[in-house]
Amino acid sequence: MAVMTIQKADVSKELAVLSQVLETTKAELKASQDKIAFLTDENKVILQEKAMIQGQFKQLQGSL
């Protein structure tokens, strides 16, 4: 009985550690997802700016 009590305590400690690791991992995943969303939006803006600059460049080439 004493061995089982010790084993249960060990498992409970390990479960607590793993739960904390899981919560940390979830927080890191959320931060990564937020960063991906930000970079995706930033990329869209950059692509729009690039298209605008390319259009201006073509107009300048045509005027030469």
Side-chain angles (χ1 to χ4, degrees):
M1 186 72 159
V3 172
M4 289 177 65
T5 302
I6 292 169
Q7 287 176 342
K8 182 181 181 280
D10 289 344
V11 169
S12 293
K13 288 177 188 176
E14 187 175 346
L15 179 60
V17 169
L18 290 174
S19 292
Q20 182 59 43
V21 169
L22 178 59
E23 290 305 313
T24 301
T25 303
K26 284 180 181 179
E28 290 172 352
L29 174 60
K30 176 72 171 114
S32 294
Q33 289 171 329
D34 290 346
K35 187 168 186 171
I36 288 169
F38 171 77
L39 292 173
T40 299
D41 290 344
E42 192 174 71
N43 189 48
K44 287 178 185 176
V45 170
I46 290 169
L47 289 174
Q48 289 172 346
E49 290 174 352
K50 178 184 174 186
M52 185 180 69
I53 291 169
Q54 285 176 330
Q56 290 173 345
F57 181 70
K58 284 185 180 182
Q59 284 180 342
L60 286 173
Q61 280 183 320
S63 68
L64 295 178

